[in-house]
């Protein structure tokens, strides 16, 4: 089957989508359920209609665009990604998996392919945690790993609940109804930029993902005693920030002690109160992220870190409260679909490299209900979540061609 990708159209559509942004170019800011997000969704639905796809949306805004197969009662083949973008981000994260999947479907249609199983392009709602502090909202609800109570629990910085915001964006209905029925997907593929440097560094066309790492997130509140920076002598201090600094370094040590390259840990948020140069910090809020492809190894880091918290609290005479924000299981990509991707790479004459996805994606949660795999394309310098994020049209098109062949095989 000769699958031809319209590279010019794909590049043009990626540029157009990048224009739906709350910030100036070249950065992209597209927060879920804001005006740019809603406008981008409307534009995409027009493209779906132009490709003859049937569109439906669920209560949280997950959007399903379906090319019906000639045996529509069979479990379908899914593909897709997200379009929300963190502030001042780039134009390829997630969007390549949406517009690339659309182009793969259009290429198969042009080649005269008729799918036995329906092929469904899925636009996930809120993969990024920007607005509600929890990533992959749409896919968590689809997989049933997030309960409907999240509609009221999750609130943005303005205090608005997820339920309020989704209703204002036009998405009604019970969140319980978002969960997909058992066996809905026969398989799911996500095309994505690597967000790392290996493919470019090793001059390999594509990455076939074998494992998806998963995070655990913690929020810490460290309470000490404030006071005047000159009046309180050093032996008398209970400095919350110095305790926080010790904990950030302890977290790094806990990760390094696993001696596993796949274990990573980050202290990404540090809020100091009162934040005055002449005042001893009395309270510090930390947020940390620990990731690994091995669930037990990751959780062993959390256990050792808890011991470090207890030691620091005793030694520095501070109070440390810890809240577990999330603890998600890593995923192993389905070996059969991984093999199909490898075969598709070989059929297209594209070199490939088995990779671990160290960022997590909606496919992580789809893996709870269906066999999944991911296909990575190179990104310049491994840069992502920045305005200079870049993947060439040629690299994207290579990924789309392989995706199209894999979808065709899975849907046959």
């Amino acid at each position: 089957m000769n699958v031809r990708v319209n590279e010019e159209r794909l590049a043009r559509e990626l540029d157009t989508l990048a224009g739906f942004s709350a910030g100036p170019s070249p950065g992209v800011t597209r927060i879920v359920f804001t005006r740019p997000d809603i406008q981008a969704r409307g534009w995409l639905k027009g493209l779906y209609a132009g490709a003859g796809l049937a569109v439906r949306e669920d209560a949280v805004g997950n959007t399903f665009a379906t090319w019906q197969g000639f045996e529509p009662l069979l479990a379908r083949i899914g593909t897709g990604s997200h379009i929300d973008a963190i502030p001042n981000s780039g134009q390829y994260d997630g969007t390549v998996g949406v517009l690339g999947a659309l182009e793969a479907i259009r290429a198969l249609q042009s080649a005269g392919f008729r799918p036995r199983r329906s092929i469904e392009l899925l636009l996930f709602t809120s993969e990024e945690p920007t607005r509600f502090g929890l990533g992959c909202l749409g896919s968590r609800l689809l997989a049933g790993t997030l309960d409907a109570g999240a509609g009221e629990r999750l609130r943005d910085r303005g205090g608005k609940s997820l339920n309020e915001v989704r209703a204002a964006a036009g998405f009604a209905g019970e969140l319980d109804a978002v969960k997909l029925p058992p066996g809905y997907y026969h398989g799911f593929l996500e095309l994505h930029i690597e967000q790392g440097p290996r493919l470019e560094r090793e001059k390999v066309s594509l990455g076939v993902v074998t494992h998806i790492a998963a995070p655990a997130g913690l929020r810490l509140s460290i309470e000490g005693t404030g006071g005047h920076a000159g009046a309180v002598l050093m032996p008398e201090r209970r400095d919350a920030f110095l305790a926080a600094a010790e904990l950030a370094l302890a977290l790094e040590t806990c990760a390094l002690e696993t001696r596993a390259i796949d274990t990573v840990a980050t202290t990404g948020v540090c809020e100091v109160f009162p934040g005055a140069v002449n005042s001893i910090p009395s309270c510090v809020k930390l947020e940390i992220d620990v990731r690994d492809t091995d669930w037990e190894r990751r959780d062993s880091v959390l256990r050792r870190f808890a011991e470090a918290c207890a030691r620091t609290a005793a030694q520095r005479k501070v109070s440390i409260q810890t809240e577990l924000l999330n603890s998600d299981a890593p995923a192993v990509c389905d070996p059969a679909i991984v093999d199909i991707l490898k075969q598709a790479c070989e059929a297209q004459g594209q070199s490939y490299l088995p990779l671990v996805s160290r960022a997590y994606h909606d496919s992580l949660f789809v893996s709870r209900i269906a066999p999944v795999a991911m296909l990575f394309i190179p990104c310049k310098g491994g840069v992502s979540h920045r305005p200079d994020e870049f993947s060439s049209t040629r690299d994207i098109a290579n990924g789309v061609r392989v995706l199209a062949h894999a979808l065709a095989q899975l849907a046959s």
Side-chain angles (χ1 to χ4, degrees), residues 41-56:
R41 288 167 179 267
W43 174 75
L44 281 168
K45 284 189 284 187
L47 296 185
Y48 299 158
L53 308 182
V55 177
R56 75 173 179 91

Side-chain angles (χ1 to χ4, degrees), residues 18-19 21-25 27-29 36:
S21 174
S25 178
V28 178
T29 300

Side-chain angles (χ1 to χ4, degrees), residues 283-327:
C283 179
V284 174
K285 306 287 187 183
L286 295 182
E287 291 188 20
I288 72 168
D289 180 294
V290 183
R291 303 188 186 205
D292 208 321
T293 55
D294 184 287
W295 194 348
E296 172 55 33
R297 188 169 59 210
R298 185 199 66 195
D299 287 357
S300 73
V301 172
L302 295 179
R303 289 192 295 271
R304 290 197 299 275
F305 181 66
E307 295 168 358
C309 288
R311 287 194 300 271
T312 296
Q315 291 167 1
R316 290 202 169 267
K317 298 179 182 178
V318 297
S319 168
I320 301 175
Q321 301 296 321
T322 302
E323 177 188 359
L324 182 66
L325 301 177
N326 63 287
S327 179

Side-chain angles (χ1 to χ4, degrees), residues 326-337:
N326 63 287
S327 179
D328 300 310
V332 178
C333 291
D334 182 75
I337 303 181

Side-chain angles (χ1 to χ4, degrees), residues 5 8 34 53 60 86 108 122 146 167 197-198 206 225 229 242 251 272 310 313 333 374 377 388:
V5 173
E8 181 180 340
T34 60
L53 308 182
V60 79
I86 68 170
L108 290 172
L122 177 48
L146 186 65
R198 284 195 65 191
L206 297 165
T225 301
L242 293 181
L251 180 68
V272 181
C333 291
M374 295 189 70
I377 60 171
D388 55 338

